[in-house]
Amino acid sequence: ILYIMFQAGVEIDINDFSQHRGKAMVFGLLTFFLPLAFGWLTSYFLGLSPVVGLLLGAMYGSHTLMTYPIVRRYGLQKNIATNITIGGTMIALPLSLLVLAGVQTHLQTGQMDIHALLLWAAKVVAAITVILVLFPWLARICFKFRWETTTNFILVLALMVLSALLCTWTGLSGVLGAFLCGVALNRLIPNLSQLM
């Protein structure tokens, strides 16, 4: 799954994605908040607690790119709808994990711990900064050595695993880290290169 998400990040057309990021954001927000509201309303009508409703809604609002290999097989990875869906997934997934983190702290302490959520947000920002800024810089330096393709491939996979571990350390999914690593290295790996 990590490799699939990494591949989605590497293969996405960044320029096309930049043009449609507003649509991706709207799609991601709608596909998260509508199921979240549905889950909360369902729990309300069933007489369950609001916390259970939030948990159900976060579960409904989370989506993934498990079908990306099928999309790739049919050559649709450069399609506008695919780019919007990938962007929407990258918005809905962290929102879902944020709700889950809030529910978890509520269940452990009986109240919402703002300090814990702020610490979590700081860890997320630090991890994303390392992935999107430090890793491309490191890869750019290593690619200048003109190592053979196998060595570069191992470097890229190591960065993918480190990205997944960083996101797991923050409490986010490692899948998100793998995707962000793919996006970070996107411009450094040409589509027609041997490394791709």
Side-chain angles (χ1 to χ4, degrees), residues 25-152:
M25 184 169 284
V26 168
F27 178 75
L29 292 174
L30 284 176
T31 57
F32 174 73
F33 283 110
L34 289 177
L36 182 70
F38 178 74
W40 188 81
L41 284 173
T42 302
S43 70
Y44 175 77
F45 288 123
L46 292 175
L48 302 172
S49 74
V51 173
V52 171
L54 285 175
L55 190 60
L56 282 174
M59 185 176 66
Y60 297 155
S62 174
H63 46 93
T64 183
L65 297 173
M66 290 297 295
T67 58
Y68 185 76
I70 297 168
V71 169
R72 189 168 174 260
R73 187 178 314 137
Y74 286 106
L76 299 172
Q77 67 268 27
K78 302 289 185 189
N79 189 305
I80 294 169
T82 303
N83 286 338
I84 291 171
T85 303
I86 290 172
T89 300
M90 292 308 108
I91 290 169
L93 185 62
L95 288 174
S96 164
L97 293 170
L98 177 64
V99 170
L100 290 175
V103 167
Q104 182 180 6
T105 59
H106 176 75
L107 291 175
Q108 288 174 349
T109 64
Q111 60 186 4
M112 290 299 288
D113 187 1
I114 300 298
H115 291 90
L117 287 176
L118 288 175
L119 177 63
W120 178 77
K123 286 168 64 174
V124 167
V125 168
I128 290 174
T129 302
V130 166
I131 294 168
L132 294 179
V133 176
L134 183 65
F135 285 3
W137 173 79
L138 180 65
R140 195 174 292 114
I141 288 172
C142 291
F143 288 164
K144 285 182 182 177
F145 289 116
R146 305 241 186 255
W147 291 328
E148 58 184 77
T149 306
T150 307
T151 308
N152 287 335

Side-chain angles (χ1 to χ4, degrees), residues 8-25 75-88 179 183 186-187 191:
V10 167
E11 291 179 354
I12 194 170
D13 186 347
I14 295 292
N15 296 326
D16 196 33
F17 182 73
S18 299
Q19 290 176 345
H20 301 289
R21 67 175 166 241
K23 293 176 187 175
M25 184 169 284
L76 299 172
Q77 67 268 27
K78 302 289 185 189
N79 189 305
I80 294 169
T82 303
N83 286 338
I84 291 171
T85 303
I86 290 172
F179 176 79
V183 170
N186 184 294
R187 295 186 192 272
N191 284 333

